[in-house]
Structure formats: C-alpha cells, structure tokens
Amino acid sequence: MSDIRVRFAPSPTGPLHMGGVRTALYNYLFARKHGGKMILRIEDTDQNRFVAGAENYIERSFEWCGIQFDEGVKAGGDFGPYKQSERSAIYREYIGELLEKGHAYYAFDTPEELDALRKELEAKKETFVYDTKSRMGLRNSLSLSKEETEKLLLDGTPYVIRFKIPENTEVSFTDIIRGTVKVHSSTLDDKVLFKTDGLPTYHLANIVDDHLMQISHVIRGEEWLPSAPLHVLLYEAFEWEKPQFAHLPVILKPVGKGKLSKRDGDKMGFPVFPLEWKDPKSGETFAGYREDGYLPEAFVNMLALLGWNPGTEQEVFPMEELIQAFDLERVVKSGAKFNPDKAKWFNQQFIRLKSDQELAQAFDKILKEKNIEAPIGFTEKIVALVKERVEFIQDFWTQAHFFYKAPEEYDAKVVKKRWKEETGAHITEMTGKLRQVENWQADAIKGCMSAFIQEKELSMGQMMNAIRLSLVGSSMGPDLAAIAELIGKDECLARLEKAVERIKK
Ligand code: GLU
C-alpha cells in the first residue's frame, strides 16, 4: 500500500475516553506498519461544546501512551491548519460548490417552526424528519422560488444549509471490518452542513478535511457508522475519491452489555481515561490510568487487544511488536468486553519486563514522597526480590515497606498464632547467636537460625514465623534470610530485641 495517511480527529469537548485512545492507537499501528502518516486534527467547530483544557489533555495523553503524530497542531505539516476553527474560509468555499452543483440548499425554517412541526407529528405518534419526502413542504430554496430565496438572503434572514439527499438511490460502500454496507437514501435525512453561526457542522468539515488532507483510510468508532452513508454521498457530490472506511467495534462494560461510559469507572473502581481529568465546570475529578499506577505500555497493550487479536497465543506486545502484528482485517465487528482484571494483569507483565534499575527509579519516587532516602542500589535489590508480587509500582511499598521502616505494630492475628509463652526467650537466645555471625549473608544467617532451631528442637515453622513477625510486623514478605541480610545486622538484631520487648504476653 502506498501513501497511507490516517487521522485521529477528536472534538475537544472533554477528556479522551479510552475508546478514543484505542481508535487513535489502531490508526497509529496501521500507519506505522505501512510506512504511512498519522495526523491529529482537532474538530472544534461546535463552539457550544468547547471545554477548556481538553485539547491539551488529548496531546498529553498521547505523549504518555507513546503515540506520535506526524502532522497536527503541534507537529505542523503541509496540510494545515490542523484545527477546524482555523479553516472556516475553506469550508465556506466548499459549501459554495455544493450549492452551485445543486447538492445543497438554503433552509430558512426557524427552530420554533421546526419544533412546532415536531410536536404536531409527535401528537400523531409520527416523527418529523427533514428529508426527501418532507423538504418540499418546508421553507427552503428548493420549495421557494429563486426570487423569494434571493430576497430572504438579501434581507439577512437566518438560514442553515442542508445536504440534498438524492431521491430513491441505494448508497453502498465497503467497510474493511464490516464488508458491504448498503443503505437506502429514503432512510437518510437532509443533514445540516452549515450552521446559522457561519460554521460548518461535523459532516461537512470532516469530509472536506479528509479530502484536502489526502486521508486514505478513515478508521473510527462504530458510532460513526450511521454517518458514513451521508459521507459517501458527500464524496460523490464533490466528485472526490472516497477513502477506505473501517468502523471499529464499541468497547463494552465488564458485564458485557452496554457501552463503557465515563461513569462506569467510578462505579466499578477502574479508570476509563488515560490521565486523571478534573472537570473545569463541575470540579469533579475522574481517575486516570497513569495516576492509578499503570505503565503506558500495559495500557496500550490492553487497548490493542480490545477488538483485535493477532491470531496467535501471544498476549504481551511491546509497541514495536504491536506494529508488526497489527492487521485491520483481524479487527472484530462485535463489541469488545473490557476486563479490568486483565488490565492489571498486563501491568504486572510489563513490570516484570522492566529492569531492576528502571523499577528502582520508579519506586524511589514513591519513597521520596514518603521522605525516605535510600541508596538506589539498595532499592534495586529490593525490587528484584519482590517484583513478582506487584501489579502496580505503588504495590512495591505494600510489599517492601519493612525494608525501609521497622514495624511499629505487630499483626495481632499472627501474634496470637505464632508467639507463645516461651517464644520471647527463644528469640533472645537466637539473637545472641546471630550476633556472632560475621559474614552477614543470607546463607550464613539461614544456617545460624536453622542450627539454633534444630539444636533446641523447636518447631521450624513457628520460629521462622515469629522471626518474620519481629522483622516485618506480619506474615508477609520474601525470603526471611534475604530480608535479614538486606536490612543489615544491627537493624535485624534491634528489631528482634524490640519485638521481644513489645510482644509480651
Ligand atoms: N470529531 C469526531 C469525533 O469526535 C471524528 C469522527 C471521525 O473520525 O470521523 O470522534
């Protein structure tokens, strides 16, 4: 395939939902795989829905995900401007062309008139549609004479410009994911292309820009499928070559029914947005994958597999491998069920793929927030010991806090089960033996502890658990001797003494 050009075209009306990130991701993978170009176009013609900060949020989200654009507001490019609000003159020119060719017409019906009609039909249990059947009975340049129309225009009467859906035709196109899609024109309405405010609607701006930006493939969410026949008719009206279409499946709620919505995350305890979003109007905060401790690679991998599969058993894909494996033909039609546990699983897999150095750097940030300064080499050893147990970077603290801070409390359940009358005396005696260990290494420490327990004929399980309780404060953690070695001899002995003193029966 040559000259592949795809675009992601968000409207900055709020934060980017993870479904939007997936759409952008599929576009990106497709472009990269075929050596094409990826474009970011901001579709901001609906001034009423503008939300401050949304465009910036979108840019930051993609930076975090590692999705790069070749052209766009920030990246620049030869096909700009890439923001629709800066392209008004272009749309005016093209709407002029449609009017001239007779594919569009002026409509002077006021919102009140249309509303009254809607109500009148509703009362008869019918629905009002501005279409091939009703348009001749309405106030527009098709039903009025040329002179009447010209007069209304000269008088400055407010108008919109509508697309003239051709009568009695079958609209048909091929969707890469869905095959042939056929719709009869009698089911389509004469959509507004140009609004009273002098700005185009989504449909006109989108088609004009896709054409001028030489978009080869329109890859977008299923919610745009109903608009596709109109878009096809617009291409035909302009006599332009159509791009290829691919409408992606919706992302479903974890229960499998209904589209995953922005409220689901809060209700079910997982993020639906890449980054945290604070709504500027309501002040409400929505959770983000980044802030919740997800690695961008895991988020991207999880999204890639929501609607696409490689046809093999492989599940873990770094971006480069996704690019190689991705194939639009393997995207499914039916909705893709989101599984929050699987998202966690991916995070765990990518944590395991990271080097101890990288993980230590990430964990060190959390330590610093807690005012803990520790040599990075020490933290590297700790992450190596516990990394199999964590799903998120912040879990390192849960799994390893005792390496940095002596326990202040002892888990009451473990105390009850493992700390008998005589345990304190045994620990004290063993502490004396440990004091003599010169080479403070896990093997030597373990050897000393085992020798003592055997010599005294004590229960290995019970003593080891009592020691763990003294060093950790509970029954968790990796190998005991490894803990003892890493916290150091003095600290280990001090913790044992402190436990004997504090856990008095
Ligand atoms: N601006 C539309 C959106 O917000 C673009 C849809 C399309 O890709 O055509 O999703």
Side-chain angles (χ1 to χ4, degrees), residues 7 9-11 43 202 206 218 220 224:
R7 84 309 193 262
S11 301
E43 301 210 326
Y202 153 73
N206 187 270
V218 168
R220 61 184 173 192
W224 300 104

Side-chain angles (χ1 to χ4, degrees), residues 17 31 109 112 126 129 150 155 163 167 184 187 193 259 269 277 283 290 307 370 410 432 479 481 493 499 504:
H17 183 278
D109 324 84
E112 295 74 31
E126 285 169 38
V129 191
E150 265 162 22
D155 289 350
F163 185 62
E167 276 169 72
H184 198 268
T187 64
L193 297 180
K259 204 171 149 180
W277 167 257
R290 182 181 65 183
K370 297 184 188 291
Y410 302 92
D479 178 61
L493 301 181
K504 282 197 181 131

Side-chain angles (χ1 to χ4, degrees), residues 42 107 113 197 341 347 369:
I42 301 295
E113 284 167 359
D197 63 5
D341 292 332
N347 213 46
E369 279 164 22

Side-chain angles (χ1 to χ4, degrees), residues 418-435:
R418 306 290 187 185
W419 201 277
K420 308 289 170 204
E421 284 265 356
E422 62 290 356
T423 307
H426 291 145
I427 296 273
T428 305
E429 208 179 332
M430 192 195 65
T431 309
K433 300 268 183 217
L434 284 171
R435 189 163 281 121

Side-chain angles (χ1 to χ4, degrees), residues 344-361:
K344 289 184 190 162
W345 180 85
F346 276 114
N347 213 46
Q348 195 174 29
Q349 303 310 309
F350 278 92
I351 284 184
R352 288 180 188 174
L353 287 176
K354 290 233 178 263
S355 70
D356 297 342
Q357 284 79 0
E358 277 176 286
L359 292 173
Q361 290 295 348

